[in-house]
Amino acid sequence: MVGSQKPVGEVTRGTTNPNRLRRIDRWIAATQAPALRTGDRPLAVDLGYGASPVTTYELYTRLRAVSPRLEVVGIEIEPDRVAAGHAFLARTGPHDGLSFRRGGFEVPVPRRPALIRAFNVLRQYDEPAAWRAWERLCARLAPGGVLVEGTCDEIGRRAVWVTLTPDGPRTITFAAQLPALRRPSDLAERLPKTLIHRNVPGEPVHDLLVAFDRCWATAAPHSAFGPRARWVEAVRLLARTHPVLSHPPYGGRRRWRLGELTLPWQAVAPR
């Protein structure tokens, strides 16, 4: 029976803030809409939403704008956090298609989800455990479904996330609030656990960040037109040597101006 097994995983710190994941949510809505519209009642899971259910509710409101029949389930391993979700619903009134339940990496939902968002969940695991978590979560996806797993800072200014399907990792996205960014390699501290220890010479992710910093320096004159102009030029220069996704929905000037850079996973895959 769904929810009857012991949750798989460890309790996270639970740190969360309103709009912390706004950057990620908007990217999901813009790039994953086809998956979110699959079937009569597509399902999205917010795994490990933390001490407050606010980011699950925000995911629900943002994704419902592109998929009105979407159901969203917030899942937490800590019972008090699930209780906080129930209290939120009791306080704000019922929201059709929004619910909370206890669980972990087993993802105890009644049908396979079109989307699993897992943010700031795997930081405390070691690299082999993070790879196993990716595999386990992807195995729970519906056909055509996607896992979005990543990390951001406490207020969402810097983030890195990976999209995965049952076939494995597909893309990696670097995103930043540009006025506060000194250089692109500052995003290294937000790399997923499968990559963060690979940011050393000789590894593709390190080579990418070094090249991006070099392009950022070359693009410095564009700062006269603002940090967005400098970022766009740096990405354009990087695309000369790296497989930057340059067309919608993942790339192009519109997404670059938001402070995003998306590449195929193979551009950073560990050696």
Side-chain angles (χ1 to χ4, degrees):
M1 184 170 64
V2 172
S4 63
Q5 58 184 311
K6 182 180 179 181
V8 177
E10 302 175 13
V11 177
T12 64
R13 289 172 55 202
T15 305
T16 189
N17 288 295
N19 284 323
R20 184 184 187 187
L21 302 183
R22 176 173 55 184
R23 190 179 302 275
I24 297 90
D25 291 350
R26 290 179 173 177
W27 184 89
I28 291 172
T31 65
Q32 307 303 318
L36 299 174
R37 294 170 180 153
T38 301
D40 293 332
R41 191 70 167 168
L43 175 64
V45 168
D46 185 17
L47 183 65
Y49 55 84
S52 167
V54 64
T55 52
T56 302
Y57 174 68
E58 291 170 346
L59 179 72
Y60 167 81
T61 58
R62 290 163 185 154
L63 297 192
R64 275 257 172 153
V66 298
S67 180
R69 297 189 304 276
L70 183 72
E71 180 180 351
V72 175
V73 179
I75 293 179
E76 251 295 342
I77 199 170
E78 171 57 55
D80 288 347
R81 296 175 185 175
V82 180
H86 294 159
F88 173 83
L89 293 178
R91 184 174 67 252
T92 62
H95 299 278
D96 176 49
L98 175 62
S99 62
F100 299 89
R101 65 180 58 185
R102 189 180 182 213
F105 294 138
E106 78 282 4
V107 191
V109 289
R111 61 190 183 279
R112 294 183 180 275
L115 169 76
I116 299 174
R117 185 189 71 177
F119 245 77
N120 304 305
V121 172
L122 297 180
R123 296 288 284 181
Q124 65 194 37
Y125 293 86
D126 61 25
E127 183 178 334
W131 283 102
R132 291 193 297 270
W134 274 7
E135 184 176 1
R136 182 163 196 162
L137 293 174
C138 286
R140 293 290 289 125
L141 292 170
V146 63
L147 165 64
V148 180
E149 192 277 318
T151 302
C152 67
D153 65 4
E154 286 71 14
I155 57 175
R157 293 174 303 177
R158 298 175 184 175
V160 182
W161 61 86
V162 177
T163 60
L164 305 97
T165 70
D167 294 327
R170 308 295 295 177
T171 65
I172 184 168
T173 299
F174 299 82
Q177 184 186 60
L178 297 178
L181 186 70
R182 291 187 310 146
R183 55 187 181 186
S185 62
D186 288 348
L187 289 165
E189 63 185 19
R190 299 300 161 187
L191 286 169
K193 200 57 182 275
T194 54
L195 286 179
I196 196 164
H197 299 301
R198 304 299 186 118
N199 186 27
V200 294
E203 286 283 353
V205 68
H206 180 269
D207 296 345
L208 169 70
L209 291 172
V210 169
F212 202 4
D213 277 355
R214 188 179 304 117
C215 294
W216 180 253
T218 302
H222 289 258
S223 297
F225 305 102
R228 285 192 179 93
R230 183 179 183 180
W231 177 272
V232 169
E233 176 63 10
V235 172
R236 190 185 67 80
L237 293 172
L238 184 68
R240 295 177 178 176
T241 56
H242 290 75
V244 172
L245 296 182
S246 303
H247 301 287
Y250 295 106
R253 188 177 183 86
R254 181 176 179 181
R255 300 231 63 87
W256 297 342
R257 282 181 55 81
L258 296 174
E260 296 174 5
L261 166 70
T262 300
L263 304 100
W265 170 255
Q266 289 305 315
V268 297
R271 287 193 172 127

